[in-house]
Amino acid sequence: MTDTPEQRRAAELQKRADRLKADFEARTKRNHDLYGRFAGGQPLLPGHHSYRSARRDKRRADAHFERTIDAYKAAEKAEQAAKWAKAKADAQAKITAVTSTRARPWQPSDFQVGDIVTVRTFQTSQDTYRVKRVNKKTLTLDGGGGGWDDPKRTYDRVLSRTRDDITITNPADTDETAQEAQ
């Protein structure tokens, strides 16, 4: 199966997250090495011949530590972006798998008041509603709030219809069912 652009993007984001995590781990090890001079707890001694180099090493280690924190934040952000992109790509692939097998689009004659429909609400999510009204271009769905929150969805957003405990994802199946009933 060919990867979709969303799946390729998710894979690229995961590679970036892995690279940033490896960079963070390398910086953490380097921090340990930079702070090694101060590991014994010896304080900086003003006036001592090593004071200037110790201050310079401490500033260098502190600056590197700040960059390590930034690297950690970037790695975490990239990891979250990769997870979201993967979830989005998987959801879109699932929706595409349902819609690509259709012989024809849904139309008003495929629905009755009381049918249960699963509709795509955004690019990646889907919700299930009871049909409240069948309109020419949309379905009015029962949002459960007594009318004030009843969503309308166009027929191209319908993923499946359930009637009498029979779920149909391909509108052409409704034609066969109607012929069998006659």
Side-chain angles (χ1 to χ4, degrees):
M1 186 169 140
T2 308
D3 286 343
T4 64
E6 292 85 12
Q7 290 169 331
R8 286 192 297 271
R9 175 163 165 66
E12 290 170 9
L13 286 173
Q14 187 59 52
K15 286 179 188 176
R16 181 175 186 273
D18 293 342
R19 224 178 19 254
L20 287 172
K21 188 175 179 184
D23 177 51
F24 162 70
E25 290 169 357
R27 286 179 180 274
T28 301
K29 184 179 180 331
R30 177 76 174 129
N31 275 343
H32 181 71
D33 296 342
L34 288 173
Y35 280 116
R37 176 177 182 172
F38 309 104
Q42 173 71 34
L44 300 181
L45 304 171
H48 191 267
H49 69 88
S50 65
Y51 181 73
R52 282 184 16 195
S53 67
R55 288 290 314 150
R56 184 188 66 234
D57 290 348
K58 178 107 171 59
R59 279 194 305 271
R60 212 177 266 162
D62 289 345
H64 195 272
F65 184 72
E66 297 270 331
R67 288 191 299 272
T68 303
I69 291 171
D70 292 342
Y72 172 77
K73 290 177 181 176
E76 285 294 307
K77 188 175 179 180
E79 184 70 31
Q80 290 300 320
K83 283 181 183 178
W84 166 245
K86 172 109 174 73
K88 182 178 176 183
D90 291 347
Q92 285 181 338
K94 185 177 175 184
I95 289 170
T96 301
V98 169
T99 58
S100 66
T101 59
R102 293 186 180 155
R104 66 172 178 82
W106 290 104
Q107 52 195 14
S109 61
D110 296 327
F111 299 95
Q112 295 176 1
V113 173
D115 287 347
I116 305 294
V117 293
T118 301
V119 294
R120 179 176 50 85
T121 50
F122 296 105
Q123 286 183 340
T124 59
S125 61
Q126 51 192 355
D127 288 316
T128 303
Y129 296 98
R130 183 174 304 278
V131 174
K132 192 171 185 178
R133 189 172 327 143
V134 179
N135 306 314
K136 186 175 180 180
K137 295 181 181 179
T138 62
L139 288 172
T140 302
L141 307 169
D142 189 0
W148 66 271
D149 67 341
D150 292 341
K152 288 187 177 186
R153 298 290 181 257
T154 56
Y155 292 106
D156 63 331
R157 296 178 83 156
V158 175
L159 299 174
S160 69
R161 181 205 74 197
T162 304
R163 182 186 303 156
D164 301 326
D165 294 328
I166 299 171
T167 301
I168 296 173
T169 58
N170 185 356
D173 294 344
T174 60
D175 300 334
E176 295 167 10
T177 308
Q179 289 174 358
E180 290 173 7
Q182 292 176 356

